[in-house]
Amino acid sequence: MFGREKIELKTPDQVLLMRRAGLVVADALAAARAAAVPGATTADLDAVAAAVIADAGALPSFLGYYDYPATICVSVNDEVVHGIPSGRELQPGDVVSIDCGAIVEGWHGDSALTLVLPEADPADVALADLTERAMWDGIAALAADGGLADRLAVVGEAVEDAVAAADPVANGGVPFGIVQDYVGHGIGSAMHQPPDVLNYRARDRGPKLRPGMCLAIEPMITRGGHATEVLDDDWTVVTADGSRAAHWEHSVALHEGGIWVLTAVDGGAAELAARGVTVAPLG
Ligand code: MF3
Ligand code: CO
């Protein structure tokens, strides 16, 4: 998609603005997550997130993006990404993916999470946990020896390895699937920038990782196959086989000292420490 287009390298000051945007996104997602209870509508979640972003003096990045009509995406059950908030009422046991982006002084943050409502099917919980774990493994792979890994392909390798290592018994004996039609991306003065960040192995090792790069790492995993379709609303992406899907995403800064997760309140310290990576504070 982006080929060998130029990758925007941020200055430390620009990364600090992205950090502000990232923390607004983290707050908005936390509020939307808290509002995600059976009986709430997906539009209720959107209103909660919109209020947090407005109160912070930031702008929602999704609203108006190719005419997208809302502040967040809420994708339920077999919906993978880009579900449009509506009067749909959440049900017990629903798998709910919430994706949010915000802009501070022109700089973007983008993050997503998946929760499973009570009366959860354990296989859905396994799906959501696997997707989160695969995301953190992908983020951890960006770091090496107090610095940066060599090439971007390490992310897809780590995500694929995490999914391959998951026990199919947790999914009724069926292997989990990695969505390939949508990928992570560079982020900065726009939400979507080069490079593409694949969630699977590829022959191309990808661009060299450099300080100043900021990347959105966002695996989308299913309880079935990888194929997707887009509904007639021209937005909602669903699995072709009707299997349930999960989506986790963080925006990550690469800098001279190592990596920092811009959309995580602790910069990713806890999850990355568990993977042997020490995050490097900004500035
Ligand atoms: N935030 C999504 C992503 O993770 C894109 C949202 S598309 C929009 O890349 F139209 F809703 F903005
Ligand atoms: Co994204």
Side-chain angles (χ1 to χ4, degrees):
M1 184 192 202
F2 295 118
R4 289 284 174 202
E5 285 174 74
K6 202 163 160 24
I7 297 172
E8 180 181 79
L9 297 180
K10 288 70 171 167
T11 67
D13 283 349
Q14 290 168 340
V15 174
L16 286 173
L17 291 173
M18 290 183 67
R19 171 68 172 157
R20 283 175 54 197
L23 291 177
V24 173
V25 171
D27 280 352
L29 275 179
R33 165 185 237 162
V37 295
T41 69
T42 56
D44 292 337
L45 276 51
D46 191 71
V48 162
V52 171
I53 293 171
D55 286 350
L59 295 171
S61 50
F62 297 4
L63 187 67
Y65 182 80
Y66 292 97
D67 292 329
Y68 185 75
T71 291
I72 61 175
C73 303
V74 187
S75 307
V76 181
N77 296 337
D78 64 323
E79 298 172 357
V80 183
V81 287
H82 304 170
I84 301 173
S86 71
R88 176 180 185 159
E89 283 187 18
L90 297 177
Q91 307 295 320
D94 274 354
V95 175
V96 184
S97 299
I98 309 172
D99 191 346
C100 182
I103 311 170
V104 169
E105 294 185 33
W107 294 92
H108 288 246
D110 186 8
S111 181
L113 57 79
T114 296
L115 57 95
V116 187
L117 292 180
E119 299 176 40
D121 179 341
D124 289 335
V125 176
L127 167 74
D129 288 352
L130 167 61
T131 309
E132 182 180 15
R133 202 160 66 238
M135 173 194 67
W136 285 112
D137 285 358
I139 293 169
L142 291 166
D145 300 330
L148 302 175
D150 184 36
R151 299 258 169 195
L152 182 62
V154 294
V155 175
E157 289 161 3
V159 170
E160 188 174 311
D161 287 349
V163 176
D167 187 355
V169 170
N171 189 33
V174 180
F176 294 94
I178 301 177
V179 170
Q180 300 177 1
D181 295 338
Y182 301 86
V183 297
H185 49 93
I187 181 167
S189 61
M191 173 165 60
H192 289 146
Q193 299 183 324
D196 280 350
V197 184
L198 307 187
N199 292 308
Y200 49 89
R201 274 198 165 69
R203 266 184 295 278
D204 185 347
R205 302 285 304 142
K208 203 165 166 47
L209 298 174
R210 296 188 191 285
M213 285 185 180
C214 293
L215 303 167
I217 308 300
E218 52 174 321
M220 291 146 268
I221 312 291
T222 81
R223 289 184 51 197
H226 67 80
T228 64
E229 290 168 2
V230 178
L231 297 185
D232 285 340
D233 63 15
D234 283 339
W235 279 105
T236 313
V237 177
V238 297
T239 57
D241 60 10
S243 62
R244 291 184 165 194
H247 176 213
W248 273 84
E249 174 175 24
H250 273 304
S251 301
V252 183
L254 282 53
H255 61 106
E256 295 291 348
I259 67 172
W260 184 263
V261 181
L262 298 162
T263 43
V265 172
D266 71 346
E271 290 286 348
L272 293 171
R275 291 164 174 79
V277 172
T278 306
V279 291
L282 303 165

